[in-house]
Coordinates of all heavy atoms in Angstrom, one line a residue:
M1 N 0.9 -1.2 0.0 CA 0.0 0.0 0.0 C 0.8 1.2 0.0 O 1.8 1.3 0.9 CB -0.9 -0.1 1.2 CG -1.7 1.2 1.4 SD -3.0 1.1 2.7 CE -2.8 -0.3 3.6
P2 N 0.7 2.1 -0.9 CA 1.5 3.3 -1.0 C 1.4 4.3 0.3 O 0.3 4.4 0.7 CB 1.0 4.1 -2.3 CG 0.3 3.1 -3.0 CD -0.2 2.1 -2.1
S3 N 2.5 4.7 0.8 CA 2.4 5.4 2.1 C 2.0 6.8 1.8 O 1.7 7.6 2.8 CB 3.8 5.5 2.8 OG 4.8 6.0 1.9
T4 N 2.0 7.3 0.5 CA 1.6 8.7 0.3 C 0.1 8.9 0.3 O -0.3 10.1 0.1 CB 2.2 9.1 -1.2 OG1 1.6 8.3 -2.1 CG2 3.7 9.1 -1.1
R5 N -0.7 7.9 0.3 CA -2.2 8.0 0.3 C -2.7 8.1 1.8 O -2.1 7.4 2.6 CB -2.7 6.8 -0.4 CG -2.3 6.6 -1.9 CD -2.5 7.8 -2.8 NE -3.8 8.2 -3.0 CZ -4.4 8.0 -4.0 NH1 -3.9 7.4 -5.1 NH2 -5.7 8.4 -4.2
T6 N -3.6 8.8 1.9 CA -4.2 8.9 3.3 C -5.3 7.9 3.4 O -5.8 7.4 2.4 CB -4.8 10.4 3.5 OG1 -5.8 10.5 2.6 CG2 -3.7 11.4 3.6
V7 N -5.8 7.6 4.5 CA -6.8 6.7 4.8 C -8.2 7.4 4.3 O -8.3 8.5 4.6 CB -6.9 6.4 6.3 CG1 -8.1 5.5 6.5 CG2 -5.7 5.8 6.8
I8 N -9.0 6.5 3.7 CA -10.2 7.1 3.1 C -11.1 7.4 4.5 O -11.3 6.5 5.3 CB -11.1 6.1 2.2 CG1 -10.4 5.8 1.0 CG2 -12.4 6.5 2.1 CD1 -11.0 4.8 0.1
Q9 N -11.6 8.5 4.5 CA -12.5 8.8 5.5 C -13.9 8.8 4.9 O -14.2 9.5 4.0 CB -12.2 10.3 6.0 CG -13.2 10.7 7.2 CD -12.9 12.1 7.6 OE1 -12.4 13.0 6.9 NE2 -13.2 12.3 8.9
L10 N -14.6 7.8 5.4 CA -16.0 7.7 4.9 C -16.9 8.7 5.2 O -17.2 8.9 6.4 CB -16.5 6.3 5.4 CG -17.7 5.8 4.8 CD1 -17.8 5.6 3.3 CD2 -18.1 4.3 5.6
L11 N -17.4 9.5 4.3 CA -18.3 10.5 4.5 C -19.6 10.1 3.7 O -19.7 10.2 2.4 CB -17.8 11.8 4.0 CG -16.6 12.4 4.6 CD1 -16.1 13.7 4.0 CD2 -16.9 12.6 6.1
L12 N -20.4 9.6 4.4 CA -21.8 9.1 3.9 C -22.9 10.1 4.1 O -23.0 10.7 5.1 CB -22.1 7.9 4.5 CG -21.3 6.6 4.4 CD1 -21.9 5.5 5.1 CD2 -21.2 6.2 2.9
I13 N -23.6 10.4 3.1 CA -24.6 11.3 3.0 C -26.0 10.3 2.8 O -26.0 9.9 1.5 CB -24.6 12.4 2.1 CG1 -23.4 13.3 2.3 CG2 -25.9 13.3 2.2 CD1 -23.2 14.3 1.3
F14 N -26.5 9.9 3.6 CA -27.7 9.0 3.5 C -28.9 9.6 3.1 O -29.3 10.6 3.8 CB -27.9 8.0 4.7 CG -26.7 7.1 5.0 CD1 -25.9 7.3 5.9 CD2 -26.6 6.0 4.2 CE1 -24.7 6.6 6.1 CE2 -25.5 5.1 4.4 CZ -24.6 5.4 5.4
S15 N -29.6 9.2 2.1 CA -30.9 9.6 1.7 C -31.9 8.4 2.0 O -32.0 7.6 1.1 CB -30.8 10.0 0.2 OG -32.1 10.4 -0.2
L16 N -32.5 8.5 3.2 CA -33.3 7.4 3.6 C -34.7 8.0 3.7 O -34.9 9.1 4.1 CB -32.8 6.9 5.0 CG -31.4 6.3 4.8 CD1 -31.0 5.8 6.3 CD2 -31.3 5.1 3.8
L17 N -35.6 7.2 3.7 CA -37.1 7.5 3.9 C -37.1 7.9 5.4 O -36.6 7.2 6.3 CB -38.0 6.4 3.6 CG -38.0 6.1 2.1 CD1 -38.9 4.8 1.9 CD2 -38.6 7.2 1.3
P18 N -38.0 8.8 5.7 CA -38.1 9.2 7.2 C -38.6 8.0 7.9 O -39.4 7.1 7.5 CB -39.0 10.4 7.1 CG -39.0 10.9 5.8 CD -38.6 9.8 4.9
A19 N -38.2 7.9 9.2 CA -38.7 6.7 10.0 C -40.2 6.6 10.0 O -40.8 5.4 10.0 CB -38.2 6.9 11.4
A20 N -41.0 7.7 9.9 CA -42.4 7.7 10.0 C -43.0 6.9 8.8 O -43.9 6.4 8.8 CB -43.0 9.1 10.1
L21 N -42.2 6.9 7.6 CA -42.7 6.2 6.4 C -42.2 4.8 6.3 O -42.7 4.1 5.5 CB -42.2 7.1 5.2 CG -42.7 8.4 5.1 CD1 -42.1 9.1 3.8 CD2 -44.2 8.5 4.9
A22 N -41.3 4.4 7.1 CA -40.8 3.2 7.2 C -41.7 2.0 7.2 O -41.6 1.0 6.5 CB -39.6 2.8 8.1
A23 N -42.8 2.3 7.9 CA -43.8 1.2 8.1 C -44.7 1.0 6.9 O -45.3 0.0 6.7 CB -44.7 1.7 9.3
Q24 N -44.7 2.1 6.0 CA -45.4 1.9 4.8 C -44.6 1.4 3.6 O -45.2 1.1 2.6 CB -45.9 3.4 4.3 CG -46.8 4.0 5.5 CD -47.1 5.5 5.1 OE1 -47.0 5.9 4.0 NE2 -47.5 6.2 6.1
F25 N -43.3 1.3 3.6 CA -42.6 0.8 2.6 C -41.7 -0.4 3.2 O -41.3 -0.4 4.2 CB -41.6 1.8 2.0 CG -42.4 3.0 1.4 CD1 -42.7 4.1 2.2 CD2 -42.8 2.9 0.1 CE1 -43.4 5.1 1.6 CE2 -43.6 4.0 -0.5 CZ -43.9 5.2 0.3
E26 N -41.4 -1.2 2.3 CA -40.5 -2.4 2.6 C -39.0 -2.2 2.2 O -38.2 -2.9 2.5 CB -41.1 -3.7 1.9 CG -42.3 -4.1 2.5 CD -42.8 -5.5 1.8 OE1 -42.1 -6.0 1.0 OE2 -43.9 -5.8 2.1
T27 N -38.8 -1.2 1.2 CA -37.5 -0.9 0.8 C -37.2 0.6 0.9 O -38.0 1.3 0.9 CB -37.2 -1.4 -0.6 OG1 -38.2 -0.8 -1.4 CG2 -37.6 -2.9 -0.7
A28 N -35.9 1.0 0.8 CA -35.5 2.3 0.8 C -34.2 2.5 -0.2 O -33.9 1.5 -0.7 CB -35.1 2.8 2.2
A29 N -33.6 3.6 -0.2 CA -32.4 3.8 -0.9 C -31.3 4.3 0.0 O -31.5 5.0 1.0 CB -32.6 4.9 -2.0
V30 N -30.0 3.9 -0.3 CA -28.9 4.3 0.5 C -28.0 4.9 -0.6 O -27.6 4.3 -1.6 CB -28.2 3.1 1.1 CG1 -26.7 3.7 1.8 CG2 -29.0 2.4 2.1
V31 N -27.7 6.1 -0.4 CA -26.9 6.9 -1.4 C -25.7 7.6 -0.5 O -25.9 7.8 0.7 CB -27.6 7.9 -2.3 CG1 -28.6 7.3 -3.1 CG2 -28.2 9.0 -1.4
G32 N -24.6 7.8 -1.1 CA -23.6 8.5 -0.4 C -22.4 9.0 -1.3 O -22.5 8.8 -2.5
T33 N -21.4 9.7 -0.7 CA -20.3 10.1 -1.4 C -19.0 9.7 -0.6 O -18.9 9.9 0.6 CB -20.3 11.8 -1.5 OG1 -21.4 12.0 -2.2 CG2 -19.1 12.2 -2.2
A34 N -18.0 9.1 -1.4 CA -16.8 8.8 -0.7 C -15.6 10.0 -0.9 O -15.6 10.4 -2.1 CB -16.2 7.5 -1.3
K35 N -15.2 10.4 0.3 CA -14.1 11.5 0.0 C -12.9 11.0 1.0 O -13.1 10.2 1.9 CB -14.7 12.8 0.6 CG -15.8 13.3 -0.2 CD -16.3 14.6 0.4 CE -17.4 15.3 -0.4 NZ -17.8 16.5 0.1
D36 N -11.8 11.4 0.7 CA -10.6 11.2 1.5 C -10.5 12.2 2.6 O -11.4 13.1 2.7 CB -9.3 11.1 0.7 CG -8.8 12.5 0.1 OD1 -9.4 13.5 0.5 OD2 -7.9 12.4 -0.7
R37 N -9.6 12.1 3.5 CA -9.4 12.9 4.7 C -9.4 14.4 4.4 O -9.8 15.3 5.0 CB -8.2 12.6 5.4 CG -8.1 13.2 6.8 CD -6.8 12.5 7.5 NE -7.1 11.0 7.6 CZ -7.2 10.4 8.8 NH1 -6.9 11.0 9.9 NH2 -7.4 9.0 8.7
S38 N -8.8 14.7 3.1 CA -8.6 16.2 2.7 C -10.0 16.7 2.1 O -10.0 17.9 1.8 CB -7.5 16.3 1.7 OG -7.7 15.8 0.5
G39 N -10.9 15.8 1.9 CA -12.2 16.2 1.2 C -12.3 16.0 -0.3 O -13.3 16.3 -0.9
A40 N -11.1 15.4 -0.7 CA -11.1 15.1 -2.2 C -12.0 13.9 -2.5 O -12.0 12.9 -1.8 CB -9.6 14.7 -2.7
I41 N -12.6 14.0 -3.7 CA -13.6 12.8 -4.0 C -12.7 11.6 -4.4 O -11.6 11.6 -4.9 CB -14.2 13.2 -5.4 CG1 -15.2 14.5 -5.1 CG2 -15.0 12.2 -6.1 CD1 -16.2 14.2 -4.2
V42 N -13.3 10.5 -4.0 CA -12.7 9.1 -4.3 C -13.5 8.3 -5.3 O -14.6 7.9 -5.0 CB -12.5 8.4 -3.0 CG1 -11.8 7.0 -3.3 CG2 -11.7 9.0 -2.0
S43 N -13.1 8.4 -6.5 CA -13.9 7.9 -7.5 C -13.3 6.3 -7.9 O -12.3 5.9 -7.4 CB -13.7 8.6 -8.9 OG -12.4 8.6 -9.3
Q44 N -14.2 5.6 -8.4 CA -13.9 4.1 -8.7 C -13.5 3.3 -7.6 O -12.7 2.3 -7.7 CB -12.8 4.1 -9.8 CG -13.3 4.6 -11.2 CD -12.2 4.7 -12.3 OE1 -11.1 4.8 -11.9 NE2 -12.7 4.5 -13.4
A45 N -14.1 3.5 -6.5 CA -13.9 2.8 -5.3 C -15.1 1.7 -5.2 O -16.2 2.0 -5.5 CB -13.9 3.6 -4.0
K46 N -14.8 0.6 -4.6 CA -15.7 -0.5 -4.5 C -16.5 -0.2 -3.2 O -15.9 -0.1 -2.1 CB -15.1 -1.9 -4.4 CG -16.0 -3.0 -4.2 CD -15.2 -4.3 -4.0 CE -16.1 -5.5 -3.5 NZ -15.2 -6.6 -3.4
V47 N -17.9 -0.3 -3.3 CA -18.7 0.0 -2.1 C -19.5 -1.3 -2.0 O -20.2 -1.7 -2.9 CB -19.6 1.2 -2.3 CG1 -20.5 1.5 -1.1 CG2 -18.8 2.5 -2.7
T48 N -19.5 -1.7 -0.8 CA -20.3 -3.0 -0.4 C -21.2 -2.7 0.7 O -20.8 -2.2 1.7 CB -19.3 -4.2 0.1 OG1 -18.4 -4.3 -1.0 CG2 -20.2 -5.5 0.3
L49 N -22.5 -3.1 0.5 CA -23.5 -2.9 1.5 C -24.0 -4.2 2.0 O -24.4 -5.0 1.1 CB -24.8 -2.1 0.8 CG -26.0 -1.9 1.7 CD1 -25.6 -0.8 2.8 CD2 -27.1 -1.3 0.9
T50 N -23.8 -4.6 3.2 CA -24.1 -5.9 3.8 C -25.2 -5.8 4.8 O -25.0 -5.1 5.9 CB -22.8 -6.6 4.2 OG1 -21.9 -6.5 3.2 CG2 -23.1 -7.9 4.7
N51 N -26.2 -6.6 4.7 CA -27.2 -6.6 5.8 C -26.6 -7.5 7.0 O -26.1 -8.7 6.6 CB -28.4 -7.4 5.2 CG -29.6 -7.3 6.3 OD1 -29.5 -8.0 7.3 ND2 -30.7 -6.9 5.9
I52 N -26.6 -6.8 8.1 CA -25.9 -7.4 9.2 C -26.7 -8.7 9.7 O -26.1 -9.7 10.1 CB -25.9 -6.4 10.4 CG1 -24.9 -5.4 10.0 CG2 -25.5 -7.1 11.7 CD1 -25.0 -4.2 11.1
D53 N -28.1 -8.8 9.6 CA -28.8 -9.9 10.1 C -28.8 -11.1 9.1 O -28.9 -12.2 9.6 CB -30.2 -9.4 10.3 CG -30.2 -8.3 11.4 OD1 -29.5 -8.5 12.4 OD2 -31.0 -7.3 11.3
T54 N -28.8 -10.8 7.8 CA -28.9 -11.8 6.9 C -27.5 -12.2 6.2 O -27.5 -13.2 5.4 CB -30.0 -11.5 5.6 OG1 -29.4 -10.4 5.0 CG2 -31.3 -11.2 6.4
G55 N -26.7 -11.4 6.1 CA -25.4 -11.5 5.4 C -25.4 -11.3 4.0 O -24.5 -11.3 3.2
V56 N -26.7 -10.9 3.4 CA -26.7 -10.7 2.0 C -26.1 -9.3 1.7 O -26.2 -8.3 2.4 CB -28.2 -10.5 1.7 CG1 -28.5 -10.1 0.2 CG2 -28.9 -11.9 1.9
S57 N -25.3 -9.2 0.6 CA -24.5 -8.0 0.2 C -24.9 -7.6 -1.1 O -25.4 -8.4 -2.0 CB -23.0 -8.4 0.2 OG -22.6 -8.7 1.6
A58 N -24.7 -6.3 -1.5 CA -24.7 -5.7 -2.8 C -23.5 -4.8 -3.0 O -23.0 -4.3 -2.0 CB -25.9 -4.9 -2.8
V59 N -23.0 -4.9 -4.2 CA -21.7 -4.2 -4.4 C -22.0 -3.0 -5.6 O -22.8 -3.3 -6.6 CB -20.7 -5.2 -4.9 CG1 -19.4 -4.4 -5.4 CG2 -20.4 -6.2 -3.9
S60 N -21.4 -2.0 -5.3 CA -21.5 -0.9 -6.3 C -20.1 -0.2 -6.4 O -19.2 -0.7 -5.7 CB -22.5 0.2 -5.8 OG -22.7 1.1 -6.8
E61 N -19.9 0.8 -7.4 CA -18.7 1.4 -7.5 C -19.0 3.0 -7.5 O -20.0 3.4 -8.2 CB -18.0 1.0 -8.7 CG -16.6 1.6 -9.0 CD -15.9 1.1 -10.1 OE1 -15.5 0.0 -10.1 OE2 -15.9 1.8 -11.2
T62 N -18.0 3.8 -6.9 CA -18.3 5.1 -6.9 C -18.1 5.7 -8.4 O -17.2 5.3 -9.1 CB -17.4 6.0 -5.9 OG1 -16.0 5.6 -6.2 CG2 -17.6 5.6 -4.4
D63 N -18.9 6.7 -8.7 CA -18.6 7.4 -10.0 C -17.6 8.4 -10.0 O -16.9 8.5 -9.0 CB -20.0 7.8 -10.6 CG -20.7 9.1 -9.7 OD1 -19.9 9.6 -8.8 OD2 -21.8 9.2 -9.9
A64 N -17.6 9.2 -11.1 CA -16.6 10.3 -11.2 C -16.5 11.3 -10.1 O -15.6 11.9 -9.7 CB -16.6 11.0 -12.6
S65 N -17.8 11.5 -9.5 CA -18.1 12.5 -8.4 C -18.0 11.8 -7.1 O -18.4 12.6 -6.1 CB -19.4 13.2 -8.7 OG -20.5 12.3 -8.5
G66 N -17.5 10.5 -7.0 CA -17.4 9.9 -5.7 C -18.8 9.3 -5.1 O -18.8 8.8 -4.0
S67 N -19.9 9.5 -6.0 CA -21.1 9.1 -5.5 C -21.5 7.7 -5.7 O -20.9 6.9 -6.7 CB -22.2 9.9 -6.2 OG -22.0 11.2 -5.9
F68 N -22.3 7.0 -4.9 CA -22.7 5.6 -5.0 C -24.3 5.6 -4.6 O -24.8 6.4 -4.0 CB -21.9 4.7 -4.2 CG -22.0 4.9 -2.7 CD1 -22.9 4.4 -1.9 CD2 -21.1 5.7 -2.2 CE1 -22.9 4.5 -0.5 CE2 -21.1 5.8 -0.8 CZ -22.1 5.3 0.1
E69 N -24.9 4.6 -5.2 CA -26.4 4.4 -4.9 C -26.7 2.9 -4.8 O -26.2 2.1 -5.5 CB -27.1 4.9 -6.0 CG -26.8 6.3 -6.5 CD -27.5 6.7 -7.8 OE1 -27.6 5.8 -8.7 OE2 -27.8 7.8 -7.9
F70 N -27.5 2.6 -3.8 CA -28.1 1.3 -3.7 C -29.7 1.6 -3.5 O -30.1 2.3 -2.7 CB -27.7 0.6 -2.4 CG -26.2 0.3 -2.5 CD1 -25.4 1.1 -1.9 CD2 -25.8 -1.0 -3.0 CE1 -24.0 0.7 -1.8 CE2 -24.5 -1.3 -3.0 CZ -23.5 -0.5 -2.5
F71 N -30.4 1.1 -4.5 CA -31.9 1.1 -4.5 C -32.5 -0.2 -4.1 O -32.0 -1.2 -4.1 CB -32.3 1.6 -5.8 CG -31.9 2.9 -6.3 CD1 -30.8 3.1 -7.2 CD2 -32.4 4.1 -5.7 CE1 -30.5 4.3 -7.5 CE2 -31.8 5.3 -6.1 CZ -31.0 5.4 -7.0
N72 N -33.8 -0.1 -3.6 CA -34.6 -1.3 -3.3 C -33.9 -2.0 -2.0 O -33.8 -3.3 -2.0 CB -34.8 -2.1 -4.4 CG -35.7 -1.6 -5.5 OD1 -36.6 -0.9 -5.1 ND2 -35.3 -1.7 -6.7
V73 N -33.4 -1.3 -1.1 CA -32.7 -1.9 0.0 C -33.8 -2.2 1.0 O -34.5 -1.4 1.5 CB -31.7 -0.9 0.6 CG1 -31.0 -1.4 1.9 CG2 -30.7 -0.5 -0.4
R74 N -33.8 -3.4 1.5 CA -34.8 -3.9 2.5 C -34.5 -3.1 3.9 O -33.2 -2.9 4.2 CB -34.8 -5.3 2.8 CG -35.2 -6.0 1.5 CD -35.9 -7.4 2.0 NE -36.6 -8.0 0.8 CZ -38.0 -7.9 0.6 NH1 -38.6 -7.2 1.4 NH2 -38.5 -8.5 -0.4
I75 N -35.4 -2.8 4.6 CA -35.4 -2.2 5.9 C -34.4 -3.1 6.8 O -34.7 -4.4 6.8 CB -36.7 -2.0 6.5 CG1 -37.5 -1.1 5.6 CG2 -36.5 -1.3 8.0 CD1 -37.0 0.3 5.2
G76 N -33.5 -2.6 7.6 CA -32.8 -3.4 8.4 C -31.5 -2.7 8.8 O -31.3 -1.5 8.6
R77 N -30.5 -3.4 9.4 CA -29.1 -2.9 9.8 C -28.1 -3.3 8.9 O -28.1 -4.4 8.5 CB -28.8 -3.3 11.2 CG -29.7 -3.0 12.3 CD -29.5 -3.4 13.6 NE -29.3 -4.8 13.6 CZ -28.3 -5.5 14.1 NH1 -27.3 -5.0 14.7 NH2 -28.2 -6.9 14.1
Y78 N -27.2 -2.3 8.4 CA -26.3 -2.7 7.4 C -24.8 -2.3 7.8 O -24.6 -1.3 8.6 CB -26.6 -1.9 6.1 CG -27.9 -2.6 5.5 CD1 -29.1 -2.2 5.9 CD2 -27.8 -3.4 4.5 CE1 -30.2 -2.8 5.3 CE2 -28.8 -4.1 3.8 CZ -30.0 -3.8 4.2 OH -31.2 -4.3 3.7
L79 N -23.8 -2.9 7.1 CA -22.5 -2.5 7.2 C -22.0 -2.0 5.8 O -22.4 -2.6 4.9 CB -21.6 -3.7 7.5 CG -20.1 -3.5 7.4 CD1 -19.6 -2.6 8.6 CD2 -19.4 -4.8 7.5
V80 N -21.6 -0.8 5.7 CA -21.1 -0.2 4.5 C -19.6 -0.1 4.5 O -19.0 0.4 5.4 CB -21.6 1.2 4.2 CG1 -21.2 1.8 3.0 CG2 -23.2 1.3 4.4
S81 N -19.0 -0.7 3.5 CA -17.5 -0.6 3.4 C -17.1 -0.1 2.0 O -17.8 -0.3 1.0 CB -16.9 -2.0 3.5 OG -17.3 -2.9 2.5
I82 N -16.0 0.7 2.0 CA -15.5 1.3 0.8 C -14.1 1.0 0.7 O -13.3 1.0 1.7 CB -15.6 2.8 0.8 CG1 -17.1 3.1 0.8 CG2 -15.0 3.4 -0.4 CD1 -17.4 4.7 0.8
E83 N -13.7 0.4 -0.5 CA -12.3 0.0 -0.8 C -11.8 0.5 -2.0 O -12.5 0.6 -3.0 CB -12.2 -1.6 -0.8 CG -12.7 -2.2 0.4 CD -12.7 -3.8 0.1 OE1 -11.7 -4.5 0.2 OE2 -13.9 -4.3 -0.2
K84 N -10.5 0.8 -2.1 CA -9.8 1.3 -3.3 C -8.3 1.0 -3.1 O -7.7 1.2 -1.9 CB -10.1 2.7 -3.6 CG -9.4 3.1 -4.9 CD -9.8 4.5 -5.3 CE -9.1 4.8 -6.6 NZ -9.5 5.9 -7.4
T85 N -7.7 0.5 -4.0 CA -6.2 0.2 -4.0 C -5.5 1.5 -3.6 O -5.8 2.6 -4.0 CB -5.7 -0.3 -5.4 OG1 -6.4 -1.4 -5.7 CG2 -4.3 -0.6 -5.3
G86 N -4.6 1.4 -2.6 CA -3.8 2.5 -2.1 C -4.4 3.2 -0.9 O -3.8 4.1 -0.4
F87 N -5.6 2.8 -0.5 CA -6.4 3.4 0.6 C -6.6 2.3 1.6 O -6.9 1.2 1.2 CB -7.7 4.0 0.2 CG -7.6 5.3 -0.7 CD1 -7.4 5.2 -2.0 CD2 -7.5 6.5 0.0 CE1 -7.3 6.3 -2.8 CE2 -7.4 7.7 -0.8 CZ -7.3 7.6 -2.2
S88 N -6.9 2.6 2.9 CA -7.3 1.7 3.9 C -8.7 1.6 3.7 O -9.5 2.5 3.2 CB -7.1 2.1 5.3 OG -5.7 2.2 5.4
M89 N -9.4 0.3 4.0 CA -10.7 0.2 4.0 C -11.4 1.1 5.0 O -11.0 1.3 6.1 CB -11.2 -1.2 4.3 CG -12.7 -1.4 4.1 SD -13.2 -3.2 4.7 CE -12.4 -4.1 3.6
A90 N -12.6 1.7 4.4 CA -13.3 2.5 5.5 C -14.7 1.8 5.7 O -15.3 1.2 4.8 CB -13.8 3.9 4.8
L91 N -15.1 1.8 7.0 CA -16.3 1.1 7.4 C -17.4 2.0 8.1 O -17.0 2.9 8.9 CB -15.9 -0.2 8.3 CG -15.0 -1.1 7.8 CD1 -14.6 -2.1 8.9 CD2 -15.7 -1.8 6.7
A92 N -18.6 1.8 7.8 CA -19.7 2.5 8.6 C -20.6 1.3 9.0 O -21.2 0.6 8.3 CB -20.4 3.4 7.7
D93 N -20.6 1.1 10.4 CA -21.2 -0.2 11.0 C -22.6 0.3 11.5 O -22.8 1.4 12.0 CB -20.3 -0.8 12.1 CG -20.8 -2.2 12.4 OD1 -21.7 -2.8 11.7 OD2 -20.3 -2.7 13.4
N94 N -23.5 -0.8 11.5 CA -24.9 -0.6 12.2 C -25.5 0.6 11.7 O -26.2 1.3 12.3 CB -24.6 -0.5 13.6 CG -25.9 -1.0 14.4 OD1 -26.6 -1.7 13.8 ND2 -26.1 -0.8 15.6
V95 N -25.5 0.8 10.3 CA -26.3 1.7 9.5 C -27.7 1.3 9.5 O -28.0 0.3 9.0 CB -25.7 2.0 8.2 CG1 -26.7 3.0 7.4 CG2 -24.2 2.6 8.3
T96 N -28.7 2.1 10.0 CA -30.1 1.7 10.0 C -30.9 2.1 8.8 O -30.8 3.4 8.5 CB -30.8 2.0 11.4 OG1 -30.1 1.5 12.4 CG2 -32.2 1.5 11.3
V97 N -31.5 1.3 8.1 CA -32.3 1.8 7.0 C -33.6 1.6 7.3 O -34.1 0.6 7.8 CB -31.9 0.9 5.6 CG1 -32.8 1.3 4.5 CG2 -30.5 1.1 5.3

């Protein structure tokens, strides 16, 4: 791992349905942006969303603006990880959808 790279600081901006609406829907969306410690966008990073209770995972990749999206996500608790060569893995644990 190159020493010149900083650890990815996971900055997630979750766009989730309000809790009041959760009872009316079975799925939601998880969207976010990956940035490094300096605030620079991290593009082409692998993003994995894993349901903590079932172990089911979905994989996406950040786009040129560092954004990622997961649609039709079942309500539950999730682990979000972001990986890119040259960076340490970033984790957000126990994310509630």
Side-chain angles (χ1 to χ4, degrees):
M1 177 177 358
S3 60
T4 59
R5 302 305 293 255
T6 60
V7 175
I8 293 178
Q9 181 181 29
L10 182 61
L11 297 177
L12 297 176
I13 303 170
F14 292 103
S15 173
L16 304 176
L17 295 173
L21 296 178
Q24 298 176 20
F25 297 95
E26 294 181 7
T27 62
V30 176
V31 299
T33 302
K35 297 181 180 182
D36 69 10
R37 193 172 301 236
S38 71
I41 297 299
V42 180
S43 62
Q44 297 179 326
K46 175 183 173 184
V47 183
T48 305
L49 178 71
T50 305
N51 185 299
I52 294 170
D53 299 316
T54 66
V56 174
S57 294
V59 177
S60 184
E61 186 174 284
T62 59
D63 62 17
S65 64
S67 298
F68 61 89
E69 309 170 326
F70 293 95
F71 296 108
N72 298 316
V73 177
R74 293 210 171 261
I75 303 303
R77 296 178 308 131
Y78 288 84
L79 171 69
V80 181
S81 65
I82 299 181
E83 302 174 77
K84 183 171 180 170
T85 303
F87 292 87
S88 297
M89 180 187 296
L91 297 172
D93 195 11
N94 211 15
V95 176
T96 303
V97 176

